Amino acid sequence: MPLVTDVPLADALRGMHSVFQPIVELDTGRVVAYEALARGPVGPLERPDALFAAARAAGRLAELDEACRAAAFRGAVDAALVAPLTVFVNVEPEVLDTAPLADLLAIAERAPGHLRVVMEITERAIAARPAELLRTVERVRELGWAIAVDDVGAESMSLAFLPLLCPDVVKLDLRLVQERPGPAVAEIMNAVNAYAERSGAVVLAEGIEQEGHLEAARGLGATLGQGWLFGRPALGPVADRPVGELVLPGAGRPSGAVGEVSPFACLPDHVPLRRAPKALLIELSKQLEREAMRLGETCVVAATFQEARHFTVSTTQRYRDLVERTGFVCALGEDLPVEPLPGVRGAALSPEDPVRGEWDVTVLSPHFSAALLARDLGGDGPDMERTFEYALTYERTTVSRAASSLLSRVAPRTGPAPAPAASPPVPAAPARRPAGGLAVGTTNAEVLLRRALEATPSGVTVVDVRLPDQPIVYANQAFRELAGLPSEDILGRNCRLLQSPDTDPGAVARIRAAVEAGRPCRETVLNLRGPERTPWWNELHLAPVHDADGTVVQYIGVQVDVTARVEAERALVRERDRTSAALARIQELACTDPLTGLPNRRRLEEQVEAAIWEARARGDALGLLFVDLDGFKEVNDRLGHAAGDELLQVVARRLRDRVRRRDLVARLGGDEFLVALPDLSPETAAAEAGRVAEELAASIRRPVSLRGTEVGVGASIGVSVCPADGDAFADLLHAADLRMYDRKAGRRAVVRDAVPVPAPSALG
């Protein structure tokens, strides 16, 4: 997306407004709520995606998010969308913890008839900012509002978090009703219906745009629906539907597990406590981890480790597997980093945190819940004999509260997941003396080999896989120079001493897989040099060394500094991306009307031709509307070209607001516009296109305030239908153009006949 300066962004923030799309009860057809959809002023920042991208780039996302919600609340009050109606309002994930909800509450409280609010949380917030998300949900419930989770089913993560967020409304991703059912849909509906049955939450289906979608939504268990079939987004309420009340029994109910409470403190008083040494808790934890991996991507795992030293090498491998198999994993402990492993979220616990003295493992999914909650009794004996007081519970409410307690401490993710800080583990071979392989002894052959290795310009290391932690037992001069360290700082240490937190985790995983299989491998990884930790790129070649029995006893590594090559390749990629972005921008400008931001005729013709091919394949019809403004020249002549341009922008916005998302709107030139309506039924296409034309004409006729003066224009709209009027864009355009002129001529004739003809002059 092209960069946008802060000046138009500032104008966009001042010009924010909302349109509202109805949400209806599927059984009764009553409108029970409206979703507020943000819109910028007419221009390049009118669309929400362009507006939010520009605000994010300018560091003004929080300001924009506040402006969106304030506009939604003001628009809802102005349009009288108050009780018994409910308004759905979105919150941007990146500003969750600082959302000024108190200001919004004041607006809601001043609303006549009381403004009922459902705050929508998108699944983008779930993985990135779980702690802020849970705190925001708690704050929203304290205001007496309800919670909805949007786009459920787009990713498995949203299913995993349903038991923790406890939403009052589950909004199904529109693909579930618009695409053919399959195994993934069945998994989603199993999870959603299980949650709705337990909690009493209502299920809302988005994207209902035709009767087939409505039938699919009912089959998926939805009782509420939203989509073009029930009404397009507009500035006010729909006029042809009865109004009802959305009943949400859980609205305003706090979870009570966010804050300083610890997981162990979530145990009810009646739960019996047992005592056991650490050795038993380790095995119980492993069993819960195995259960989590069986549950898969709809599972959340949250655990504590007291101190970083308890997050051992064995634990590291198990949690790598958990990240690959489950939806969300977090691990907390004193001195643990905010991301102990790639994909594992966490936070360093302070010594005063009550969780610091606990051993907790929680596993939660739509169909399973279990938690091991233990408290250290502070024994002085050996570590494996330390005694804990613990409970193993499967009660869902307790497990959910315990998991929420841990997730409310997780630090937000501010960038891509870092790579592991350790080098891949090398499998240990059986403890036996090697009968072959690379040696560094004192025979003439060995001395010659050592001299050859010392003379080679590539770095060479030898790792002994039979020793604990697989240490480096040999490093040549070239490697010592690459590492920037003397021999005493290299020998006897694991090769992780060169690792960087920014190393590609995919490369590390491939190295690990090759070593575990005893195969050679070649990867380019980011390493660090010397005490100053200077980054450099290492082209690493690893090869196993076998003894006479074929057992891997050592690994030899050859390293080459390819930093210059990698940086040159990355510079080429950046230049290619810049060139691609520039070409895309040029293409966009060539196909876009600069005044209204609409596609021009060239772009629309391409889109319509593609839609005609699709219509042929599916047996659908397509409508084309030729819109010509009536009275525009008079406004332009009377108020000037600037006012005329502003009027054209208003008309463009009204056209876009009154059509479906997949409909096409373009400016042909002057005061002429085109609207394409794909996916119409052949039997009703002409009638449907005519109905849309009447609605668009009525919308355009509404007065417009320009420079302190109210003006009005009309519209003559000609309609053509594919395939009845042709199966090419040019044919459809010609037919619609002729019918537009017929309507305009007919309107002029009616006006002419209605004006009295003056009597002949007496002098004539």
Side-chain angles (χ1 to χ4, degrees):
M1 179 169 294
L3 292 177
V4 182
T5 64
D6 205 34
V7 174
L9 178 59
D11 294 340
L13 289 172
R14 288 191 294 271
M16 289 294 305
H17 69 284
S18 288
V19 293
F20 299 88
Q21 187 172 31
I23 296 171
V24 306
E25 290 178 333
L26 298 185
D27 289 341
T28 65
R30 297 187 305 171
V31 177
V32 295
Y34 286 86
E35 180 178 1
L37 305 172
R39 295 289 187 271
V42 173
L45 297 184
E46 181 177 7
R47 291 176 56 85
D49 52 352
L51 189 59
F52 274 84
R56 188 175 289 108
R60 302 180 66 178
L61 192 60
E63 184 180 352
L64 172 61
D65 190 62
E66 179 182 357
C68 288
R69 286 197 302 276
F73 279 50
R74 286 194 303 270
V77 171
D78 292 344
L81 304 181
V82 294
L85 291 170
T86 299
V87 177
F88 283 60
V89 181
N90 289 282
V91 60
E92 178 60 29
E94 296 177 43
V95 295
L96 281 173
D97 209 29
T98 57
L101 298 182
D103 297 342
L104 303 182
L105 178 61
I107 298 175
E109 288 177 337
R110 291 195 298 268
H114 181 56
L115 186 63
R116 305 176 63 187
V117 178
V118 173
M119 192 70 77
E120 284 195 32
I121 304 293
T122 65
E123 65 176 353
R124 288 181 295 135
I126 293 175
R129 312 182 74 85
E132 290 87 344
L133 177 60
L134 292 173
R135 283 195 293 269
T136 298
V137 167
E138 198 80 358
R139 292 168 64 202
V140 167
R141 292 195 184 283
E142 289 172 358
L143 297 178
W145 299 345
I147 294 293
V149 176
D150 198 10
D151 299 331
V152 171
E155 295 289 345
S156 298
M157 184 72 68
S158 56
L159 301 177
F161 269 72
L162 284 180
L164 296 170
L165 297 175
C166 300
D168 309 283
V169 181
V170 178
K171 298 188 71 176
L172 300 179
D173 184 68
L174 58 87
R175 292 182 300 116
L176 297 181
V177 300
Q178 294 185 353
E179 296 181 0
R180 188 179 185 87
V185 173
E187 179 185 28
I188 293 165
M189 293 319 304
N190 266 326
V192 169
N193 284 310
Y195 169 75
E197 186 177 57
R198 283 192 303 267
S199 65
V202 298
V203 179
L204 188 159
E206 297 183 283
I208 301 177
E209 299 181 348
Q210 51 186 260
E211 289 296 329
H213 297 163
L214 176 59
E215 188 174 334
R218 287 196 172 108
L220 292 171
T223 57
L224 300 179
Q226 181 180 3
W228 179 74
L229 186 64
F230 307 120
R232 303 180 182 92
L235 293 174
V238 295
D240 57 349
R241 286 186 177 274
V243 173
E245 180 180 2
L246 177 59
V247 178
L248 301 173
R253 178 181 59 208
S255 66
V258 177
E260 294 303 317
V261 64
S262 73
F264 190 85
C266 294
L267 285 169
D269 294 337
H270 62 81
V271 174
L273 298 178
R274 302 177 176 87
R275 291 193 177 190
K278 176 180 177 179
L280 176 60
L281 297 190
I282 290 176
E283 296 306 317
L284 293 176
S285 299
K286 290 180 180 179
Q287 176 57 35
L288 290 181
E289 293 164 8
R290 288 191 290 270
E291 190 67 31
M293 285 191 284
R294 183 186 65 81
L295 295 168
E297 294 181 352
T298 61
C299 179
V300 171
V301 180
T304 59
F305 291 86
Q306 295 187 297
E307 303 173 36
R309 63 188 177 92
H310 297 310
F311 200 82
T312 63
V313 174
S314 174
T315 306
T316 297
Q317 185 56 56
R318 299 201 315 271
Y319 273 67
R320 281 195 181 104
D321 295 337
L322 281 172
V323 168
E324 294 174 359
R325 300 277 292 277
T326 62
F328 184 91
V329 183
C330 72
L332 300 89
E334 186 178 355
D335 295 327
L336 267 179
V338 296
E339 194 151 14
L341 288 172
V344 176
R345 305 296 302 285
L349 298 178
S350 70
E352 295 77 25
D353 194 312
V355 177
R356 167 64 180 77
E358 296 184 9
W359 178 316
D360 305 310
V361 180
T362 64
V363 176
L364 188 62
S365 78
H367 308 294
F368 180 86
S369 60
L372 171 63
L373 308 177
R375 180 171 55 192
D376 194 344
L377 296 179
D380 296 327
D383 183 67
M384 294 301 291
E385 296 178 10
R386 282 190 300 136
T387 304
F388 289 76
E389 192 175 37
Y390 81 97
L392 190 61
T393 178
Y394 301 90
E395 204 279 316
R396 176 168 288 271
T397 301
T398 302
V399 177
S400 297
R401 285 171 52 84
S404 296
S405 172
L406 294 179
L407 265 65
S408 67
R409 291 165 163 84
V410 171
R413 171 177 288 166
T414 56
S423 59
V426 180
R432 65 177 75 178
R433 293 187 60 85
L438 179 64
V440 288
T442 59
T443 67
N444 290 338
E446 291 164 352
V447 170
L448 181 60
L449 177 58
R450 178 188 287 272
R451 289 175 180 172
L453 292 175
E454 287 296 319
T456 183
S458 300
V460 178
T461 55
V462 177
V463 170
D464 194 327
V465 301
R466 300 160 299 172
L467 300 178
D469 204 27
Q470 297 91 40
I472 298 172
V473 295
Y474 172 77
N476 72 347
Q477 177 63 29
F479 179 81
R480 297 194 292 272
E481 292 174 357
L482 288 174
L485 297 170
S487 295
E488 56 268 23
D489 290 340
I490 297 175
L491 299 180
R493 297 179 62 185
N494 186 280
C495 54
R496 70 174 64 94
L497 80 154
L498 297 182
Q499 290 295 313
S500 163
D502 297 321
T503 301
D504 177 17
V508 173
R510 291 189 294 272
I511 292 172
R512 182 187 306 120
V515 171
E516 289 176 350
R519 294 184 284 102
C521 68
R522 172 181 173 178
E523 289 288 344
T524 300
V525 295
L526 185 63
N527 283 165
L528 299 175
R529 177 180 291 121
E532 65 279 4
R533 310 296 280 169
T534 303
W536 62 284
W537 287 96
N538 181 2
E539 186 176 83
L540 172 65
H541 301 250
L542 286 177
V545 180
H546 302 84
D547 66 6
D549 297 331
T551 301
V552 176
V553 292
Q554 294 169 331
Y555 255 85
I556 183 169
V558 179
Q559 293 90 1
V560 180
D561 187 342
V562 292
T563 303
R565 188 193 76 194
V566 171
E567 290 179 349
E569 291 172 349
R570 292 190 164 196
L572 287 174
V573 170
R574 288 194 297 270
E575 186 61 32
R576 182 197 64 194
D577 291 344
R578 280 195 295 269
T579 302
S580 298
L583 291 174
R585 178 56 176 160
I586 292 171
Q587 180 67 21
E588 179 183 351
L589 292 173
C591 298
T592 303
D593 173 48
L595 176 63
T596 63
L598 294 175
N600 57 19
R601 170 177 171 164
R602 171 186 168 188
R603 182 64 176 271
L604 183 74
E605 182 173 356
E606 294 173 353
Q607 294 174 327
V608 169
E609 291 290 357
I612 289 173
W613 278 100
E614 293 179 4
R616 288 176 184 167
R618 294 195 301 261
D620 292 340
L622 178 142
L624 185 67
L625 280 56
F626 193 119
V627 182
D628 184 85
L629 300 185
D630 299 328
F632 173 76
K633 184 177 184 303
E634 290 80 358
V635 174
N636 211 32
D637 293 343
R638 181 160 55 96
L639 299 180
H641 291 292
D645 288 347
E646 188 175 346
L647 177 59
L648 291 174
Q649 291 172 338
V650 171
V651 170
R653 184 172 64 199
R654 289 181 178 179
L655 291 174
R656 273 187 295 204
D657 286 346
R658 296 299 295 176
V659 297
R660 303 170 297 179
R661 279 179 300 178
R662 64 178 181 272
D663 293 338
L664 309 172
V665 182
R667 184 185 177 202
L668 192 59
D671 60 350
E672 296 176 337
F673 297 84
L674 293 175
V675 178
L677 308 173
D679 306 331
L680 300 181
S681 171
E683 295 78 13
T684 61
E688 179 67 11
R691 183 182 65 80
V692 173
E694 293 299 326
E695 290 185 5
L696 294 180
S699 178
I700 293 172
R701 282 196 299 270
R702 297 203 317 267
V704 179
S705 178
L706 296 177
R707 304 178 182 274
T709 302
E710 274 204 352
V711 301
V713 293
S716 297
I717 303 178
V719 178
S720 62
V721 175
C722 171
D725 295 310
D727 57 0
F729 175 77
D731 297 336
L732 296 176
L733 180 62
H734 180 68
D737 191 11
L738 291 177
R739 288 167 185 161
M740 181 274 294
Y741 274 109
D742 289 344
R743 292 181 65 87
K744 187 178 288 285
R747 185 173 289 108
R748 287 172 180 164
V750 169
V751 172
R752 186 175 59 250
D753 293 344
V755 176
V757 178
S761 169
L763 299 176

